[in-house]
Amino acid sequence: MSESSGHFDERADIAPGAEEEHSLRARVLGYVVGLVLALLLTATSFFIAGTDLVWQPSIPVAIVVLAIAQMGVHLVFFLHITTGPDNTNNVLALAFGLLIVFLVVGGSIWIMGHLNQNMPPMEQIMKMQ
Amino acid sequence: MAMTATVEHADPHHLGRAVEHAGPAPKHIVTAYGFWIFLLSDIVMFSCFFAAYAVLVHQVADGPKGAEIFDLRNVAVETICLLLSSFACGMASIAADLRNRLWFYLSMTVTCVLGLAFLAMEFREFADLVSRGYGPSRSAFLTAFFSLVGCHGLHVSAGVLWLLTMMAQVFAKGFRADIMRRMTCFALFWHALDIIWVAVFSVVYLLGGAA
């Protein structure tokens, strides 16, 4: 009785990093797919950063997008954070972490950018007058 | 019969799915979840270093800019080392689940060697910068650079120590339930370091090198 209820719990929740029951072949394949995708995204990032082929102002945006995509690949294929119902707790914790990260990084860049603009060093104010 | 009774207990309204847990989750789920929360708080801490770097990247105090000191070829090799070590760590997790000692030691050794190669390259880069007079005290940009990348390097160093500890524990105690829980946490830690490195090479080296 207690053994089977424990089993029921395992079906209802899954630990971060844990996978649902898969064959060895499927698990190894998951890591291989993740590695190939990550290598491709990395190679694209480094290529984009040093190329003259694309419109230059688009490069920072492309690097940020590629980085976010690669973090997603790592989360799904290496950390096994998925959108499945057994993963809700893990995803909610991740979502809260991301909220704080965006507040800290976005807020700092935003506020410090305005400070730089509104309060330039003294010699720059003298030049403007 | 016992199974039917459990299902009815967990599903009193006959919704066809579990709406109520029979008790607390198993220990390996609670442990891994707690460690996941720690990793997220670690990522929040890193975000402060990233924010500092983004704010200070142009404050070079007439010192070198990022583009003048970053060697992207070096960074690319570092990235490949970490990616492959993350993959080897995944193989070690699978080997541990299958209780296969040979593959476990082999994968963990590969993980360790690649991690050490990464650390050696990063140390060489730092030593080279300091010897050219571009240490962390040279400018606000370099302070932010050394603290962010160095903080990641310290995490990798701690990860290598943890990795060796895990190998020793499996050697001495075998694949016991508590050792397996620690192994899950180690794998999460190592993969999370790779995620942070993705942000580091994108923001610090590729974006900071172009700025």
Side-chain angles (χ1 to χ4, degrees):
Chain A
M1 173 74 195
S2 64
E3 214 174 323
S4 55
S5 67
H7 177 71
F8 203 86
D9 265 343
E10 276 181 62
R11 302 302 304 167
D13 267 313
I14 194 164
E19 291 180 282
E20 291 173 65
E21 296 302 314
H22 285 309
S23 65
L24 168 66
R25 198 186 143 88
R27 291 187 66 181
V28 174
L29 193 67
Y31 281 103
V32 171
V33 170
L35 179 68
V36 169
L37 282 177
L39 283 173
L40 276 179
L41 287 165
T42 303
T44 317
S45 273
F46 277 88
F47 172 74
I48 289 276
T51 183
D52 297 328
L53 284 175
V54 296
W55 187 52
Q56 296 298 306
S58 71
I59 288 178
V61 183
I63 289 174
V64 169
V65 170
L66 287 165
I68 291 173
Q70 190 171 347
M71 289 183 205
V73 166
H74 283 250
L75 277 177
V76 171
F77 291 97
F78 293 159
L79 286 129
H80 308 297
I81 302 295
T82 65
T83 52
D86 50 5
N87 240 306
T88 318
N89 286 338
N90 307 338
V91 173
L92 276 179
L94 174 67
F96 182 68
L98 286 183
L99 171 71
I100 304 295
V101 167
F102 279 114
L103 284 179
V104 168
V105 175
S108 297
I109 292 172
W110 185 28
I111 291 170
M112 294 309 284
H114 278 268
L115 276 181
N116 275 343
Q117 206 167 13
N118 295 337
M119 297 200 294
M122 208 37 122
E123 58 262 39
Q124 280 188 36
I125 296 180
M126 301 302 260
K127 269 184 226 158
M128 278 191 277
Q129 279 168 349
Chain B
M1 280 313 287
M3 191 61 205
T4 327
T6 313
V7 171
E8 273 171 14
H9 170 70
D11 186 12
H13 305 294
H14 305 288
L15 297 173
R17 58 188 166 86
V19 290
E20 193 180 39
H21 293 295
K27 200 165 181 181
H28 71 273
I29 290 181
V30 176
T31 306
Y33 186 65
F35 196 75
W36 178 231
I37 303 279
F38 158 73
L39 283 178
L40 287 167
S41 69
D42 213 29
I43 287 173
V44 166
M45 184 210 68
F46 266 105
S47 79
C48 300
F49 284 98
F50 275 106
Y53 180 84
V55 166
L56 297 173
V57 65
H58 297 297
Q59 314 301 320
V60 293
D62 297 325
K65 283 194 262 183
E68 297 159 24
I69 55 170
F70 293 156
D71 178 7
L72 288 188
R73 186 179 297 268
N74 195 40
V75 179
V77 178
E78 282 178 325
T79 308
I80 291 170
C81 279
L82 265 199
L83 269 177
L84 291 177
S85 89
S86 219
F87 178 77
C89 178
M91 295 303 107
S93 306
I94 296 178
D97 283 347
L98 296 178
R99 309 289 189 265
N100 186 325
R101 277 176 186 266
L102 174 67
W103 275 96
F104 176 78
Y105 291 133
L106 194 66
S107 313
M108 287 295 259
T109 309
V110 172
T111 311
C112 181
V113 167
L114 288 166
L116 287 174
F118 170 84
L119 283 174
M121 293 176 72
E122 189 166 320
F123 183 78
R124 206 181 53 189
E125 184 194 7
F126 280 9
D128 178 50
L129 284 178
V130 171
S131 71
R132 284 153 67 191
Y134 303 149
S137 54
R138 178 63 189 82
S139 65
F141 156 65
L142 282 167
T143 307
F145 166 77
F146 274 96
S147 45
L148 172 54
V149 182
C151 189
H152 178 269
L154 282 180
H155 275 74
V156 176
S157 312
V160 168
L161 285 180
W162 190 359
L163 185 156
L164 295 173
T165 313
M166 288 315 304
M167 284 176 82
Q169 290 202 320
V170 168
F171 179 76
K173 303 174 183 175
F175 296 110
R176 259 168 30 191
D178 54 343
I179 309 296
M180 291 298 287
R181 284 200 299 274
R182 288 170 204 168
M183 185 57 207
T184 310
C185 292
F186 167 73
L188 281 171
F189 183 71
W190 199 253
H191 293 314
L193 284 187
D194 219 12
I195 292 187
I196 292 169
W197 179 254
V198 171
V200 169
F201 84 70
S202 299
V203 172
V204 174
Y205 289 102
L206 297 184
L207 291 179

